[in-house]
Amino acid sequence: MTASVLERFRELAVDEADPFYFDHPLDHVPGMLLFSGLLDLAVRADGTRARGRRPGRVVAGLDFTRFCELDRGTTLSCRPVPGANRAWTVSARQGVREVCAGSIAFADETPETPAARRRAGVPAPPRRAPADLVHRRRAENILVGEPVRRGRAVVEAAVLQPPAAEEPRPGFRSPVEIVEAGRQFATLLEHEEHGRPMDATLLWVALRLDIPYRVGRDVPLVLRWPVARVPGRRSRCAATLADASTGARLGTLGYEAYAVGPEQYERTRAR
């Protein structure tokens, strides 16, 4: 297929009544919805280019450059990276203004090793993290457990299952579910470890990830953060995704944000 055939465009569907993406009132399109829309567009394009081969891993880097406003349409685009087999340049635009841009790449599936299927000595799921620490309102949207410090070097939190739904869920966790769990983990670290006031807003500006495209729901997951404070104005969190029962490292998640108070947020939005 030629590159022109593989280029994809579509309008982002924004439903402000969605209980997941709009868990609480927002004055802009959330970054998680932009990531989800761009990922879905890239997956569809990749399915054509890879002749139906399902991705085994997803590697992505996105920068959120402007607020994505609710009162105008958002166009998503996806173009193949020249010379790369399963890599895509993606962006989200509102008119002539780019609000998010980056790349999404996929790798083929690899056979699971026997160690990845050991399930012994896994503790019972912990209590969900407090809603205010992860900037959520609905309990069913809290995807991480209460943080636990392992000595002085590591803080970790279990990745939790959403409560049972009326409709059966897929038997695997999607990248969106894992990235949202990581976002919640990074958010609670800002409050618990870095002392951010509870009324602070985190303006996410960058997302980096290298994770499995699908993880079975029978695999207990944990997020681990090596205790560190990176100097500079931005808040940065680099976490590891691991199999809680085997300790196997499964991937990485990185988030960057600016933390602002209510008055500073209002000034930012008034510009």
Side-chain angles (χ1 to χ4, degrees), residues 57-58 133 140 156 263:
R57 295 189 71 81
V58 55
L133 281 183
E140 62 269 23
E156 65 180 39
E263 293 183 2

Side-chain angles (χ1 to χ4, degrees), residues 90-210:
V90 296
S91 71
R93 306 183 73 90
Q94 293 193 310
V96 299
R97 305 178 76 177
E98 189 173 71
V99 298
C100 177
S103 64
I104 298 177
F106 303 98
D108 291 337
E109 287 187 298
T110 56
E112 287 186 301
T113 61
R117 282 298 176 189
R118 292 199 300 267
R119 296 286 174 264
V122 179
R127 292 187 299 179
R128 295 185 187 275
D132 55 351
L133 281 183
V134 297
H135 295 189
R136 283 298 204 172
R137 292 269 182 90
R138 295 179 172 89
E140 62 269 23
N141 289 331
I142 300 174
L143 299 181
V144 291
E146 292 182 331
V148 177
R149 183 177 280 271
R150 303 299 185 190
R152 296 183 178 181
V154 175
V155 176
E156 65 180 39
V159 179
L160 304 183
Q161 303 277 6
E166 293 182 3
E167 297 181 3
R169 291 194 308 267
F172 55 85
R173 292 179 171 99
S174 69
V176 172
E177 191 175 327
I178 292 173
V179 170
E180 169 61 15
R183 184 203 65 80
Q184 293 181 17
F185 184 51
T187 300
L188 69 82
L189 289 173
E190 283 299 303
H191 297 301
E192 290 280 272
E193 295 294 325
H194 304 322
R196 299 289 185 192
M198 294 307 298
D199 62 353
T201 298
L202 293 177
L203 304 178
W204 297 103
V205 295
L207 168 66
R208 305 287 184 262
L209 61 102
D210 181 350

Side-chain angles (χ1 to χ4, degrees), residues 232-256:
R233 293 181 57 211
R234 287 189 180 186
S235 298
R236 293 178 171 87
C237 175
T240 298
L241 179 72
D243 182 327
S245 66
T246 67
R249 179 184 169 119
L250 301 179
T252 57
L253 294 156
Y255 304 82
E256 296 185 19

Side-chain angles (χ1 to χ4, degrees), residues 25-40:
L26 292 170
D27 64 358
H28 60 277
V29 177
M32 282 301 303
L33 181 55
L34 289 172
F35 168 66
S36 178
L38 290 169
L39 176 66
D40 184 63

